[in-house]
Amino acid sequence: MNATAPPPDSASIRVLLADDEVLVRSGFKVLLDLEDGITVVGEATDGAEAVERARATRPDVVLMDIRMPRLDGIQATAQIARTRGLEQVRVLILTTYDTDEYVFDALQVGASGFLLKDAGPAELLHAIRVIAAGDALLAPRITRRLIGQFTARRTAARTAEDRLAVLTEREREVLALVGQGLSNQEIGAALFLSPATARTHVSRAMAKLGARDRAQLVVIAYRTGLVSPGT
């Protein structure tokens, strides 16, 4: 990055690009630089550099490739998630889906969602804004199938029932619907609640279960068996 460049607009969504493929980074940067309200504040060629750049630039969103040298995207995401001062940094995993079975692990360690590498410009911009707003990018057509697929292989590692004992019955209902990929508005409609009330229940479930964000609630819903892969 050019050290003499003017600081980005504080109102902009600050994005860090982490991918070892220069063409991928360049393509994303060209697109994002043309978009009002989004500023690229740094680039990283591997996971270790991504962590360093995240500490230096404090981005709102990191676009993180999974497969990178030195430190992969999962390990880098985990380090960012547990670094003091980076609690508000959200990681959006870049995946080829059919080959990256480690997305499940990335969600567990702190990623807020994932995006297909071949996503179109509109999808990319939407994903960045969703993640920056504090929500998880959990498209049902991808997320339920992916998480369900790998959760089915890990039945022996499911969290014990007592983990959900801290939740009220309503919070369990809400957690189950989060696990199915529903938005706050959809949860409210299903349970005859206002979207604001649904959001409150989601926030309380996150706090009680120690979940970093909505994406980790989905993982918990599957791992505890509250939601099954075929739901």
Side-chain angles (χ1 to χ4, degrees), residues 175 178-179 202 205-206 209 211 213-222:
L175 176 60
V178 170
V202 171
M206 285 173 54
L209 295 172
D213 59 20
R214 202 180 187 96
Q216 290 194 324
L217 284 184
V218 173
V219 173
I220 292 170
Y222 276 95

Side-chain angles (χ1 to χ4, degrees), residues 171-183:
E171 289 164 353
R172 284 195 183 211
E173 292 175 334
V174 169
L175 176 60
L177 295 177
V178 170
Q180 294 176 44
L182 273 64
S183 66

Side-chain angles (χ1 to χ4, degrees), residues 7-231:
D9 182 351
S10 60
S12 292
I13 298 172
R14 299 162 54 82
V15 178
L16 172 65
L17 305 175
D19 197 301
D20 61 329
E21 296 183 32
V22 64
L23 289 179
V24 173
R25 294 199 316 275
S26 297
F28 284 152
K29 188 174 189 305
V30 168
L31 173 64
L32 299 181
D33 281 345
L34 293 174
E35 187 69 16
D36 291 337
I38 297 178
T39 302
V40 176
V41 295
E43 298 181 42
T45 60
D46 58 52
E49 188 177 0
V51 176
E52 294 170 3
R53 296 299 297 154
R55 288 171 175 157
T57 64
R58 304 294 176 93
D60 299 303
V61 176
V62 180
L63 288 186
M64 181 83 75
D65 187 23
I66 285 185
R67 302 184 178 192
M68 292 186 291
R70 281 214 294 166
L71 195 70
D72 65 33
I74 295 173
Q75 294 172 302
T77 297
Q79 287 194 23
I80 290 172
R82 63 173 179 257
T83 296
R84 181 176 298 179
L86 300 183
E87 293 86 358
Q88 301 305 313
V89 176
R90 295 291 177 254
V91 177
L92 180 60
I93 293 292
L94 298 173
T95 174
T96 54
Y97 176 54
D98 287 331
T99 57
D100 286 328
E101 63 182 64
Y102 303 109
V103 168
F104 184 91
D105 298 311
L107 291 174
Q108 290 193 98
V109 299
S112 294
F114 57 91
L115 181 72
L116 297 181
K117 271 195 170 182
D118 61 358
E123 286 184 274
L124 173 63
L125 296 172
H126 171 71
I128 289 172
R129 290 190 170 99
V130 167
I131 296 297
D135 291 324
L137 191 71
L138 301 170
R141 74 179 180 89
I142 300 174
T143 306
R144 286 207 298 266
R145 178 179 167 189
L146 180 70
I147 294 180
Q149 178 182 355
F150 296 106
T151 302
R153 299 180 185 178
R154 303 176 181 214
T155 53
R158 281 183 175 169
T159 305
E161 168 66 19
D162 59 4
R163 180 166 192 186
L164 299 181
V166 297
L167 302 181
T168 65
E169 187 61 33
R170 176 63 82 189
E171 289 164 353
R172 284 195 183 211
E173 292 175 334
V174 169
L175 176 60
L177 295 177
V178 170
Q180 294 176 44
L182 273 64
S183 66
N184 290 334
Q185 186 170 354
E186 291 168 332
I187 291 172
L191 299 179
F192 303 101
L193 305 171
S194 70
T197 299
R199 177 181 289 274
T200 296
H201 286 305
V202 171
S203 297
R204 287 175 179 168
M206 285 173 54
K208 289 181 178 180
L209 295 172
R212 175 179 168 86
D213 59 20
R214 202 180 187 96
Q216 290 194 324
L217 284 184
V218 173
V219 173
I220 292 170
Y222 276 95
R223 288 181 65 86
T224 57
L226 193 59
V227 176
S228 65
T231 301

